[in-house]
Amino acid sequence: PEPNMEELMPRLLPLESCDTEEYNSNEPPRNPQEYLRQVQREASLCPDVVVAQIDPKKLKKKQSVNVSITGCLAAPQGFSPSLKWQQQQVSKFSEVRQSVNKHRQHWKSQFLDDNVVMPKTEDEDGWKRFCLGENVCLDIQLKEEDKVNPGLDYVKTGFPPFLSIVSKLNQSTISAVLEYLINWFEERDFVPQLGRWLYALLACLEKPLLPEAHSLIRQLARRCSAVRANLESKDDDRLSALNLMICIVARYFEQNDLADNE
């Protein structure tokens, strides 16, 4: 029998499961589990057809890009994940990539809602606002009641990386948006919107990586390690997400010199 999509789509971030009974599908996801539920729901509507799109021209380009060989900062004592945890995350990430690739053509053909206006590839500020939202980009301090009930204003909170959105991005746009977000992260703290988009973009990044993509993901892992090195508690909400980004870059994309070792 066919396994259902719930089984095929692993959790995005290694956090405890939430009470799905309370989740209202008309509201923006509040955490990684709710985002993944949205992806599961989208994926369950897809036909069972596999189409691999490979551009042979990309594989023939001769490019020279300087890739930094600087390593990651070591995690504080007790902050780095076990090897078993890293292997589990790589396995889940691989499943997500396969699922995204399998359903890409279906979602690419879907029309987006009128309120979803995707920026042009070269519009760096537009993409930062699209992914992270105006509240984060403009550093708007939310009132307490807005935190409790943020509403449906994606312009303020950022558009989640739904399959219907990321499936429309070609590889050059994926690399460009990754660069915009990683450059933003170099100067600022880790936020949930950033984590969701980085994970989704990495899941859409085709192998073999272009040289500039290699350089970008290494930059991302180093920045995550720098933020992690300054965390004061193992209970910090950011820790598992930072560990996950380092793990994906080092273990899945085979940048082994950046990996956390037990």
Side-chain angles (χ1 to χ4, degrees):
E2 286 285 313
N4 66 30
M5 193 50 66
E6 293 276 343
E7 294 166 350
L8 290 176
M9 293 291 284
R11 287 178 294 171
L12 250 185
L13 297 176
L15 302 172
E16 293 302 314
S17 61
C18 61
D19 184 359
T20 55
E21 294 296 320
E22 296 178 5
Y23 174 43
N24 181 346
S25 61
N26 292 322
E27 294 182 358
R30 296 165 297 186
N31 55 45
Q33 289 77 25
E34 292 184 359
Y35 166 60
L36 201 58
R37 292 233 163 260
Q38 179 76 37
V39 174
Q40 287 169 343
R41 201 162 43 250
E42 289 181 333
S44 69
L45 303 174
C46 296
D48 241 7
V49 178
V50 182
V51 181
Q53 298 288 330
I54 297 174
D55 183 356
K57 287 182 285 190
K58 288 181 192 164
L59 308 181
K60 296 176 183 172
K61 286 183 182 174
K62 291 186 178 176
Q63 302 181 54
S64 121
V65 173
N66 292 324
V67 176
S68 170
I69 56 171
T70 315
C72 285
L73 292 176
Q77 184 70 34
F79 280 56
S80 63
S82 68
L83 188 57
K84 181 180 179 183
W85 182 93
Q86 293 178 64
Q87 290 167 340
Q88 289 171 337
Q89 302 314 316
V90 168
S91 175
K92 291 175 183 177
F93 181 69
S94 180
E95 289 174 16
V96 169
R97 280 176 64 91
Q98 289 169 19
S99 182
V100 168
N101 191 47
K102 180 176 182 178
H103 302 303
R104 180 176 284 137
Q105 288 308 305
H106 170 80
W107 284 107
K108 198 174 178 180
S109 65
Q110 302 300 303
F111 289 104
L112 295 173
D113 291 342
D114 291 341
N115 67 327
V116 185
V117 181
M118 290 165 67
K120 290 187 168 66
T121 298
E122 63 276 10
D123 184 1
E124 180 168 355
D125 285 339
W127 273 110
K128 288 175 185 173
R129 289 192 186 200
F130 184 86
C131 299
L132 305 175
E134 288 185 351
N135 290 344
V136 168
C137 287
L138 303 178
D139 199 22
I140 295 171
Q141 300 301 315
L142 295 181
K143 298 173 186 168
E144 280 306 313
E145 59 265 28
D146 291 334
K147 289 181 184 176
V148 174
N149 184 20
L152 270 174
D153 193 346
Y154 285 139
V155 173
K156 290 183 179 177
T157 62
F159 286 88
F162 295 136
L163 289 175
S164 49
I165 293 177
V166 296
S167 295
K168 289 180 169 57
L169 306 182
N170 60 31
Q171 288 298 299
S172 62
T173 303
I174 288 168
S175 292
V177 179
L178 262 178
E179 182 176 2
Y180 302 153
L181 295 180
I182 292 170
N183 287 343
W184 181 89
F185 182 35
E186 281 290 339
E187 305 293 328
R188 295 169 188 82
D189 204 354
F190 190 90
V191 294
Q193 295 95 318
L194 178 68
R196 288 195 290 264
W197 269 97
L198 290 174
Y199 190 99
L201 292 169
L202 291 173
C204 295
L205 200 58
E206 289 178 3
K207 280 184 163 185
L209 293 183
L210 297 176
E212 55 266 38
H214 261 124
S215 183
L216 274 174
I217 65 172
R218 290 180 64 84
Q219 182 185 344
L220 170 61
R222 287 196 301 273
R223 175 59 182 159
C224 286
S225 73
V227 173
R228 181 178 65 181
N230 288 313
L231 297 182
E232 295 180 356
S233 166
K234 285 186 276 190
D235 297 324
D236 194 301
D237 290 340
R238 294 166 291 175
L239 179 59
S240 60
L242 294 167
N243 281 341
L244 179 60
M245 291 297 142
I246 296 169
C247 171
I248 289 171
V249 170
R251 301 290 184 184
Y252 184 85
F253 289 106
E254 299 169 338
Q255 305 300 300
N256 297 315
D257 60 305
L258 303 179
D260 284 313
N261 296 307
E262 289 187 281

